[in-house]
Amino acid sequence: MVAENKVLEIKEAFEKAQKTHNNKAKLVSALKQRYNKLEDKTIFHEEFVYYLKFPMIVYKREPAVESVIDFAAKFATSFEEPVENEEATEEDEDEEEEEDPFLNYLFHFLLKSHNANSHAVRFRVCQLINKLLGSMSENAQIDDDLFDQIHEAMLVRVKDKFPNVRIQAVLAMARLQDPQDGDCPTVNAYLLLLENDSNPEVRRAVLSCIAPSAKTLPKILGRTRDVKENVRKLAYQVLAEKVPLRALSIAQRVQLLQQGLNDRSGAVKEVVQKKLLQAWLRLLEGNVLDLLHRLDVENCPEVAMAALNATFALSPLNELAQNCSNIDNRKLIPLDNLSCENSLYWRALCEYVKSKGDEGEEVLEQILPEAAIYAEYLYGYLKSIPVMTEEQKADFAQVENVMTKEFISQQLILLVGCLDTAEEGGRKRVLAVLQEMLVLPNTPASLVSLLIEKLVTVLRDDDKRIQMVAEIISEVREPIVSVTDPIDENVSRKRQIKLAEVKVKLIETKQMLEDCIAVQDFGQASELKDKITEFESLKNQLMKEAEEPEMKEVRMEKNDPDTLLKCLTMCSELLKQMSTDKGIGPTMNGIMESLILPGIANAHPSVRNMAVECLGLCTLQNKELAKRHLVLLLQIAQLDDTKIRISALKAVLDQLLLNGMEVIKSKSQNLQSDSDTGRGESDTQQDGQEAKEPEEEENTVNNILSLLLGFLDSEIPELRTETVEGLAKLMFSGRLVSAKLLSRLILLWYNPVTEDDTRLRHCLGVFFPLFAYASRSNQECFEESFLPTMHTLFNAPGSSPLAEVDVANVAELFMDLTRPSGLINQSKKTDDYKELTVHDSLAIRICNEILNDPAAPDVRIYARCLSTLELATGESVCNKDLLMLLDEVCTEVKDKVCLRALEKLISQLKGESKDNGTKDVNTTINQGPAENGEENVENDDDQLKSTKKRTKRGQKSASTATRTTRSRTTRRKTVEVSDESDGEIIEAVPETVTRSTRRAKAAAMEKTKMNLTDLISREADQSS
C-alpha cells in the first residue's frame, strides 16, 4: 500500500508539473518530503526515472514537456547542500557521495541514455544534464569519476547529427571548461564548433558559453565576421560584456569598430554603438579623448570618426556642446594644447553638429568662431610646422613630431568646411590664408590636396576657381627670385676710368687746399674742402658699385619633382571639382600644354602618375581631347609602372563610360579622313575606303576590348580588379554587351586564383544579380554565355585552377540569374516576352546540348538544370516543341538519375501532377514542423556538407550569390503564377486574419498543448 501511494504521489507530481501555472517549488517540496520519509529510496529512483522517460521521448518543445523537464531538474538539485567554506569541504569529502544518491542515480541514467538511437532522447538527455549542472550552486562539487563521465558523454554529443542536440551539449559543458588549461578538451571542442559547425545556432550557443582567454579570444573575434547576423551580433555582445578593453590590441580594437559600425545589418551596428562602445567608455570613466588615444587616430582617422559619430548620436546637441571643454573663450583650442585626439574630436563634433542643419546652427556657433578669426588661428599653426633638414630627418623623434603636427593641421584644414563663409570679409580672409599657404615652399605635401580642396569649395564659380588656381600654380612654378645682373666689360672700364679721374681730382683739390691754407686764403679753402667731400663720396660710391654686383628680381621656372607634384596635385583637385560641362578653356589648355603633358614624360614616377590622372580628368571635359589622347593612355596602361598603369586604365574606362564607344569610332574616322586628304585619292578609291571604314572601326573596338580582356589575366591583382570593375560598370550602364565577356567574368569569379582578391569577388557578387534582374536582354546575355562557360569548365585540364570549380554550382547560378520571376520590371514586358521566357529558350539549348552527346558524364548536370527551370505548364507552341525534344532526350539518355529527372519534368509540363504535387507540398509543409522540428534544418545541413568538394572560395561565393539573389526575389515569385510552384505560392501569400479575442487565443493554445497524462495512462493500461 505504501508503494502504491508513493507511485501515485510521483505520478501526481508529474501531472501537476505539466501545467505551467503551478508552483514548481511547492511540488518539489512536497515530493521531497515524501522522498525523505522513505527508508528504501531505490524504488523511488526507479519510478521517478520511469515517469521521466515519457517527456524524454518527445522532441518537439511543447510547454508541458519543458515544464516537466524543469521540474525534474529542480527536484534533483534540491537535495544539494551548499558548501560554506573549504575546510568543511575537506572534512566531508568522504560523505559527499552518499549525501545525494538521487542526483547520482539520475546522472548515471542520463549518461547511459545519451547514445540512444532516438534523437529526441539524446536531445532531452543533454537538456537535462544542462539544467542539472546549471541549477547547482556555484561552489557545488561532484565526484571526479562522474565529472569525467559527463565530460566524455558531452564531448560525443557535441558531434551529434542534430543541431539541437549539439546546442544542449554545448550548454551543458559550460561549467566543465577550464580556461586556464591550454589543452582543455571542452575549450578545444568549443573552438572546433565555433569555426566549423554549419548551424548558426550552435555557433551562438558556443559564443554564449565559451570563456574568453588568450586562446579563445581570436576565435571570438573571428565570429564578428560570421555570415549570419545573429552570430555577429552575439559576438559583439560577448566582447562588450566579458572582454575588457585592455585585453585587445590596438589593431583588434580598430578592426572591431571598423567592421561593426560598417556592418550591413542595423542590429549589429546598434550593438556596437550602444553596448561595445559604451562598455569601453565606462572602463575609461567616460573619457572620449582617452578612448581615441587607444584607437591610434593618426593611422585610422576614419574609424575614429565613425566611433565618435556613433557616440554623438546617443546624446542631445546641447549636451555635446557643454561637454566640449577643450575650447577657450575664443571658441578655439589653445595652440599649445592641440593634440591629435582633441583636434579630431573638435572636427568630428563640428561636422556632426553641422549635419543636423538648422537645429545645429546655434550649437555650432558655440563651438566654432567666425571665419576671419579661425583663418588667423589656422595660419598661425600652419606657419609653426618646421622644415626639417637632412640631419633632422634621421631623428625619429623629430620626424614623429612633424607627422603629428601635419595630422593636426589636416584636421584644422578640414574644419574650414564647417565655417560660415557667407560673410564676404571672412571669406576673403580664409581664401587669402589658403592661397598664401599654398604658395609657401615649406608647406608639407600632405596638406596641399586638402588646402586646394577647401579653396575650391569656398569659391563657387568655375571661372574664379580656374583663375585663382592658375595664379597659385604660376607663383609656385615660377617664383620671383633676385639674381645678379651680369656686368658689361665696357661699363666696368668706364667705371674704372671715372674712378681714376675722381681720384686725380681729389689729389689736386687737396694740394690746392694746402696752398690756400699756406697763404691764409680761408674763403677759398672752405670751398675746396666742400669739393673734397663731394669727391670722397663719389669715390666711395664708385668703389661700392665695383665691389657689389647689381641685383635683379626675375621669375625663374622650377622643374624639380616636388614642385611639379605640388602643381599637378592642385590641378587634379581643381579638375575634380569642375563641372563636366565647363570644357577646357584657354587657361586650362595652357596648363595642360605647359604642365600636364610634359609631366607625362617626367622621369619621376609620382610626377608621371599625377600627370596621367590630370590628363584623364581633362579628357572627361572635352570629347575631342579624349579622342586625341586615347592612344597615349592605352600605351601607358601597358608599359609603365603598376600604379601609373592603373591610373591610365581608370582614365580609359572613365572615357568609355562617359562617352561610350564613340570615342574609339570617332578616332578611327579622324585617322581615316586625314589619310584620305593627305593621299588625295580618287572618288572610286574613296568609295572603296568608305566601305572598309565599318570594318576598321570594328577592328579598332575589338582590339581595345581585347586589350582590356588581356588585363583580366594579369598577374597584378590591382590591375585585374580595376579592369573587372570598369567592365562591370560598362555592361551595367549599357555601354557594352558581350556574352563572351560575361562568361569570362563568371569564370574569373569562380577561379581559385582570385580567392584572396576580396574586392574583385565582392564587386562581381553584387554585379551579377543586379545586371541579370535589370532587364530581359541582360538575362538573354547570360543565356548565351551559359553553354560556353560550361564547356570551358568541362574541358579544363587537370592542371588548370578551373578544374577545382564545382560545375554544378556554376550551373545553379546561371539558372537562378535567368529566372523570369526575378525580373524587376517584369510587369512592363511585351506579349512576346510573356509568351517565350529566357528559361524556355534555355531549356531548348540544354536539350540540344544533351542530344549532342547523350552518354557524356555532364548530362546529369544538364538534367538537374532542366529540373530547376521555371517553365510554364499548359498547351503552347513552345511547350509542344520542348516536350518533343524531351521525349527524344529520354530515348537517347540511358542514365537512370537523368531519366527520373526528365520524366518528372515532362509530367510537370503536361500538368499531370499539378493537383497531387500541390497536395503533397501542403501536407509536407503542415506536418514537417510538428513531427520533425529541427530535423529539416539538419537535412539542409547534410545537403550543404555534400557539396564541399568544390573549391573553398568558389563554393563560398557561389552559394552566397545564390542565397542573395533568392532572398532578394522571394516576393517576386508570387507575381507570375505557374503550376509548378502552386504549393509554394500558397504558402508564401499571407492570409488576412481577424484579430482574435484573448479567450479565443487561450483556448486555441490549450488545444495545441501536449498532455503527457494520456500517454502515461495508456502505457499503464498496456503494462497491466
Side-chain angles (χ1 to χ4, degrees):
M1 194 69 182
V2 174
E4 184 178 354
N5 291 338
K6 180 198 64 169
V7 173
L8 292 176
E9 187 75 21
I10 297 176
K11 180 178 179 181
E12 183 180 358
F14 271 88
E15 289 177 350
K16 290 182 178 180
Q18 296 181 56
K19 300 177 182 180
T20 56
H21 62 271
N22 282 336
N23 191 333
K24 299 292 189 304
K26 291 183 178 180
L27 289 176
V28 168
S29 177
L31 192 59
K32 187 176 180 181
Q33 291 178 2
R34 184 67 179 169
Y35 177 80
N36 292 331
K37 293 179 181 179
L38 296 175
E39 295 180 359
D40 185 8
K41 298 180 172 54
T42 306
I43 299 177
F44 183 92
H45 296 167
E46 295 175 354
E47 295 297 336
F48 188 91
V49 168
Y50 170 77
Y51 287 108
L52 184 60
K53 290 179 181 178
F54 289 97
M56 288 180 63
I57 62 175
V58 181
Y59 184 68
K60 187 177 180 182
R61 307 198 71 166
E62 290 282 351
V65 179
E66 296 299 319
S67 182
V68 171
I69 295 295
D70 289 338
F71 163 73
K74 289 180 180 179
F75 177 74
T77 55
S78 64
F79 297 97
E80 179 196 1
E81 295 182 1
V83 180
E84 297 180 357
N85 50 43
E86 295 181 358
E87 296 180 359
T89 303
E90 295 176 357
E91 294 175 359
D92 300 337
E93 277 182 357
D94 299 333
E95 301 178 1
E96 281 181 356
E97 295 183 3
E98 300 178 0
E99 283 181 357
D100 196 358
F102 178 77
L103 184 61
N104 291 335
Y105 181 86
L106 185 58
F107 266 127
H108 284 96
F109 162 72
L110 294 174
L111 293 174
K112 290 178 183 177
S113 306
H114 85 91
N115 278 326
N117 293 332
S118 172
H119 61 277
V121 175
R122 299 198 302 273
F123 168 68
R124 295 300 176 182
V125 166
C126 294
Q127 185 185 26
L128 270 170
I129 292 178
N130 172 34
K131 289 184 178 296
L132 288 173
L133 294 176
S135 301
M136 298 173 69
S137 60
E138 292 184 1
N139 54 358
Q141 296 182 0
I142 58 176
D143 184 63
D144 290 341
D145 295 336
L146 179 60
F147 178 91
D148 294 337
Q149 292 175 14
I150 296 173
H151 203 177
E152 293 174 2
M154 292 301 100
L155 287 174
V156 174
R157 291 280 66 82
V158 293
K159 302 176 183 178
D160 197 275
K161 175 182 176 181
F162 286 80
N164 271 354
V165 179
R166 299 200 298 274
I167 291 173
Q168 295 300 325
V170 165
L171 297 176
M173 288 199 304
R175 299 189 66 177
L176 306 180
Q177 61 180 322
D178 184 7
Q180 298 179 353
D181 184 5
D183 296 327
C184 177
T186 301
V187 174
N188 293 335
Y190 277 171
L191 296 180
L192 187 65
L193 291 173
L194 205 57
E195 288 189 320
N196 301 317
D197 200 287
S198 59
N199 190 282
E201 294 303 319
V202 177
R203 301 197 295 272
R204 292 185 77 249
V206 175
L207 279 175
S208 63
C209 295
I210 193 169
S213 64
K215 182 178 181 180
T216 61
L217 183 58
K219 307 301 180 182
I220 298 175
L221 293 173
R223 286 308 97 199
T224 59
R225 299 184 294 275
D226 197 277
V227 295
K228 292 295 183 181
E229 170 188 338
N230 290 335
V231 181
R232 299 197 302 274
K233 180 180 175 182
L234 183 60
Y236 281 110
Q237 290 178 352
V238 170
L239 290 170
E241 296 170 0
K242 298 181 180 180
V243 181
L245 180 63
R246 62 178 180 273
L248 301 170
S249 65
I250 293 178
Q252 289 172 338
R253 299 167 195 163
V254 171
Q255 186 179 24
L256 281 176
L257 292 179
Q258 184 177 12
Q259 294 173 353
L261 295 174
N262 295 317
D263 197 280
R264 60 180 178 269
S265 169
V268 176
K269 291 181 182 178
E270 186 177 359
V271 169
V272 176
Q273 178 186 15
K274 296 183 178 180
K275 292 191 176 181
L276 184 65
L277 273 174
Q278 300 306 312
W280 289 357
L281 284 173
R282 283 194 298 271
L283 292 173
L284 301 174
E285 299 179 355
N287 192 336
V288 181
L289 296 180
D290 195 7
L291 176 62
L292 292 178
H293 180 68
R294 298 170 187 269
L295 292 179
D296 190 16
V297 296
E298 292 187 57
N299 294 323
C300 306
E302 297 84 6
V303 177
M305 286 288 294
L308 287 174
N309 289 331
T311 306
F312 294 155
L314 301 178
S315 303
L317 295 180
N318 293 328
E319 182 179 342
L320 292 175
Q322 294 173 1
N323 293 337
C324 188
S325 57
N326 295 317
I327 59 176
D328 55 16
N329 297 330
R330 301 175 300 161
K331 305 173 187 175
L332 296 170
I333 299 177
L335 294 179
D336 297 336
N337 296 338
L338 274 173
S339 64
C340 296
E341 289 77 20
N342 59 24
S343 61
L344 181 71
Y345 179 83
W346 190 20
R347 169 208 159 192
L349 180 59
C350 292
E351 290 181 355
Y352 176 79
V353 172
K354 187 176 181 180
S355 66
K356 296 302 178 181
D358 297 337
E359 181 185 357
E361 285 186 1
E362 296 182 1
V363 180
L364 189 62
E365 293 177 356
Q366 302 175 17
I367 57 177
L368 198 63
E370 297 178 356
I373 299 175
Y374 185 80
E376 295 297 335
Y377 174 78
L378 175 63
Y379 181 74
Y381 189 81
L382 294 180
K383 291 279 287 184
S384 67
I385 300 178
V387 179
M388 291 191 299
T389 61
E390 293 298 329
E391 296 180 357
Q392 292 175 337
K393 289 181 180 178
D395 188 356
F396 181 76
Q398 294 190 15
V399 172
E400 186 178 6
N401 182 37
V402 172
M403 291 177 64
T404 301
K405 285 182 173 293
E406 288 184 9
F407 179 83
I408 297 173
S409 301
Q410 291 175 2
Q411 308 311 311
L412 297 180
I413 294 171
L414 289 171
L415 259 175
V416 174
C418 299
L419 296 175
D420 183 11
T421 55
E423 192 265 325
E424 186 176 359
R427 182 173 67 253
K428 285 185 177 180
R429 185 54 192 155
V430 170
L431 290 173
V433 168
L434 295 176
Q435 188 174 2
E436 185 174 354
M437 292 309 303
L438 285 168
V439 173
L440 286 178
N442 59 345
T443 302
S446 59
L447 304 180
V448 173
S449 59
L450 289 176
L451 288 169
I452 196 67
E453 179 185 348
K454 295 306 173 185
L455 176 69
V456 174
T457 304
V458 174
L459 287 172
R460 301 301 176 88
D461 185 60
D462 280 341
D463 293 329
K464 292 181 179 179
R465 290 174 175 175
I466 296 172
Q467 181 182 357
M468 182 169 286
V469 174
E471 292 176 357
I472 297 173
I473 291 176
S474 177
E475 292 183 14
V476 172
R477 184 85 186 280
E478 299 177 352
I480 298 176
V481 182
S482 298
V483 295
T484 304
D485 193 14
I487 302 174
D488 191 6
E489 293 182 359
N490 295 327
V491 175
S492 177
R493 189 179 299 109
K494 289 179 181 179
R495 187 183 294 119
Q496 291 177 359
I497 293 171
K498 190 175 181 180
L499 179 62
E501 292 176 354
V502 170
K503 288 181 179 180
V504 171
K505 290 180 179 180
L506 182 61
I507 293 172
E508 292 177 351
T509 306
K510 286 182 178 180
Q511 185 62 40
M512 292 173 62
L513 177 62
E514 292 178 358
D515 295 340
C516 291
I517 293 173
V519 298
Q520 296 184 355
D521 188 358
F522 296 107
Q524 184 68 22
S526 178
E527 294 178 0
L528 291 174
K529 191 173 183 180
D530 294 337
K531 286 184 179 181
I532 291 173
T533 305
E534 292 178 3
F535 287 140
E536 289 285 349
S537 63
L538 182 59
K539 173 189 172 183
N540 294 333
Q541 182 179 354
L542 291 173
M543 292 178 66
K544 187 175 182 181
E545 289 178 357
E547 293 176 358
E548 295 183 1
E550 184 179 355
M551 302 301 294
K552 190 177 181 180
E553 291 185 350
V554 295
R555 287 192 176 274
M556 182 176 292
E557 185 176 359
K558 298 173 65 176
N559 289 318
D560 59 288
D562 293 337
T563 302
L564 292 176
L565 187 61
K566 184 177 181 179
C567 295
L568 288 169
T569 303
M570 290 189 283
C571 183
S572 174
E573 293 297 330
L574 172 63
L575 290 168
K576 289 177 183 178
Q577 298 293 333
M578 282 175 54
S579 173
T580 54
D581 300 333
K582 180 64 180 175
I584 300 294
T587 306
M588 283 304 304
N589 193 28
I591 293 176
M592 190 175 69
E593 294 295 335
S594 63
L595 180 65
I596 298 175
L597 292 178
I600 292 177
N602 195 281
H604 203 275
S606 59
V607 176
R608 289 203 309 276
N609 182 53
M610 189 58 66
V612 169
E613 287 186 12
C614 292
L615 181 61
L617 293 169
C618 288
T619 56
L620 297 179
Q621 300 286 338
N622 191 306
K623 189 179 292 187
E624 294 298 326
L625 195 65
K627 301 172 190 175
R628 194 183 314 150
H629 296 290
L630 179 63
V631 177
L632 175 61
L633 291 173
L634 288 172
Q635 290 176 349
I636 296 173
Q638 300 177 72
L639 302 175
D640 217 317
D641 294 341
T642 300
K643 190 175 181 180
I644 305 174
R645 292 176 65 185
I646 293 174
S647 299
L649 178 62
K650 287 181 179 179
V652 173
L653 291 172
D654 287 342
Q655 288 183 31
L656 297 178
L657 189 62
L658 182 64
N659 302 316
M661 297 299 170
E662 297 177 3
V663 179
I664 304 174
K665 295 179 180 179
S666 301
K667 179 67 180 174
S668 60
Q669 289 175 0
N670 292 340
L671 293 174
Q672 186 60 43
S673 62
D674 294 341
S675 62
D676 289 346
T677 305
R679 287 193 293 265
E681 295 177 345
S682 62
D683 295 340
T684 306
Q685 290 174 337
Q686 289 179 359
D687 294 339
Q689 198 69 25
E690 289 176 359
K692 293 181 180 179
E693 283 182 6
E695 296 181 3
E696 293 185 357
E697 290 177 5
E698 185 177 355
N699 291 335
T700 305
V701 174
N702 290 336
N703 290 335
I704 292 180
L705 291 180
S706 299
L707 177 63
L708 295 177
L709 289 176
F711 290 146
L712 295 179
D713 299 325
S714 174
E715 296 180 356
I716 305 172
E718 296 83 3
L719 190 64
R720 182 175 59 212
T721 303
E722 290 296 337
T723 307
V724 167
E725 288 189 6
L727 293 175
K729 291 177 182 178
L730 289 173
M731 294 191 70
F732 189 74
S733 61
R735 296 291 189 186
L736 181 63
V737 178
S738 172
K740 179 181 177 182
L741 175 59
L742 197 58
S743 175
R744 287 287 303 274
L745 293 179
I746 291 175
L747 292 173
L748 190 64
W749 192 42
Y750 276 96
N751 199 324
V753 174
T754 63
E755 180 178 1
D756 297 329
D757 200 340
T758 308
R759 182 180 164 194
L760 182 145
R761 293 212 167 185
H762 178 71
C763 171
L764 291 178
V766 174
F767 164 70
F768 288 142
L770 290 178
F771 179 72
Y773 300 143
S775 67
R776 163 72 182 267
S777 59
N778 293 345
Q779 288 191 336
E780 291 175 351
C781 190
F782 274 100
E783 176 196 346
E784 293 178 9
S785 63
F786 171 66
L787 290 178
T789 306
M790 302 302 289
H791 291 162
T792 304
L793 293 174
F794 287 142
N795 299 326
S799 58
S800 172
L802 294 177
E804 304 176 12
V805 177
D806 183 8
V807 185
N809 192 273
V810 180
E812 182 184 355
L813 176 67
F814 271 101
M815 299 304 105
D816 190 73
L817 293 177
T818 53
R819 285 185 296 106
S821 59
L823 286 173
I824 297 175
N825 297 322
Q826 58 180 339
S827 59
K828 300 179 181 179
K829 295 189 294 181
T830 62
D831 295 337
D832 295 336
Y833 278 176
K834 289 183 179 180
E835 185 176 344
L836 182 65
T837 65
V838 176
H839 271 194
D840 291 333
S841 56
L842 189 58
I844 296 175
R845 285 176 181 262
I846 294 175
C847 290
N848 291 326
E849 183 65 22
I850 295 176
L851 291 174
N852 288 337
D853 189 2
D858 314 328
V859 173
R860 281 195 176 188
I861 294 178
Y862 289 132
R864 190 185 306 170
C865 292
L866 287 172
S867 63
T868 58
L869 293 175
E870 292 182 1
L871 302 174
T873 58
E875 295 183 1
S876 64
V877 178
C878 178
N879 275 4
K880 290 180 181 178
D881 296 340
L882 183 57
L883 285 171
M884 292 176 60
L885 271 174
L886 288 173
D887 290 337
E888 186 177 355
V889 169
C890 288
T891 57
E892 297 290 337
V893 175
K894 305 302 180 184
D895 188 79
K896 294 182 179 180
V897 177
C898 298
L899 285 175
R900 283 197 297 268
L902 293 172
E903 290 171 358
K904 182 179 178 181
L905 177 60
I906 292 173
S907 63
Q908 289 177 355
L909 289 175
K910 291 181 179 179
E912 294 177 358
S913 61
K914 174 182 176 182
D915 298 333
N916 294 335
T918 304
K919 184 176 180 180
D920 293 341
V921 170
N922 289 334
T923 303
T924 304
I925 291 172
N926 293 333
Q927 293 180 358
E931 296 178 357
N932 300 327
E934 291 292 332
E935 205 163 357
N936 297 329
V937 177
E938 183 59 33
N939 293 336
D940 293 340
D941 293 339
D942 293 339
Q943 292 177 3
L944 289 174
K945 290 177 183 177
S946 66
T947 61
K948 287 188 177 179
K949 295 179 181 179
R950 69 191 71 177
T951 311
K952 293 182 180 179
R953 184 62 184 172
Q955 173 194 6
K956 189 173 183 179
S957 29
S959 58
T960 305
T962 305
R963 290 194 297 269
T964 305
T965 53
R966 284 180 178 170
S967 62
R968 192 177 289 122
T969 58
T970 302
R971 292 173 290 181
R972 289 288 174 187
K973 291 184 179 181
T974 61
V975 177
E976 184 174 333
V977 181
S978 63
D979 293 337
E980 184 183 358
S981 57
D982 283 344
E984 184 177 354
I985 292 173
I986 290 173
E987 183 192 11
V989 175
E991 299 179 359
T992 56
V993 295
T994 57
R995 185 176 177 85
S996 304
T997 62
R998 181 172 297 180
R999 184 175 298 176
K1001 288 182 178 179
M1005 288 293 294
E1006 194 66 30
K1007 290 181 180 179
T1008 60
K1009 288 181 179 179
M1010 185 174 184
N1011 196 332
L1012 297 175
T1013 305
D1014 297 337
L1015 184 62
I1016 296 174
S1017 301
R1018 186 164 60 251
E1019 182 72 18
D1021 294 340
Q1022 291 177 0
S1023 61
S1024 61

